[in-house]
Amino acid sequence: LHRLLHVRFGDGWTSGGKIKARWVGSVFVGDVITAHATVEKISREDGRKRVALAVWCVNQSGTKVAVGEA
């Protein structure tokens, strides 16, 4: 999830981003995990844009293994 958010939001993510996520499934050696995000809300905070996201990860079978918000 961090890599996805850093690639999309760059230094804004690393200097001011927050994430809350939890595991909801098992991850095993050899699994391929893919991170996803959707925009839930865009607002202004201290003159800067704040983007609220729903985030999750799925394994190679499409099963969610992590969920959260950033």
Side-chain angles (χ1 to χ4, degrees), residues 46-62:
D46 297 326
R48 297 178 63 182
K49 193 182 296 184
R50 173 70 64 180
V51 181
L53 304 167
V55 295
W56 67 96
C57 293
V58 297
N59 66 14
Q60 66 278 359
S61 299

Side-chain angles (χ1 to χ4, degrees), residues 33-55:
I33 306 301
T34 306
H36 300 272
T38 58
V39 175
E40 297 289 309
K41 180 181 175 184
I42 300 173
S43 59
R44 287 277 184 200
E45 186 175 296
D46 297 326
R48 297 178 63 182
K49 193 182 296 184
R50 173 70 64 180
V51 181
L53 304 167
V55 295

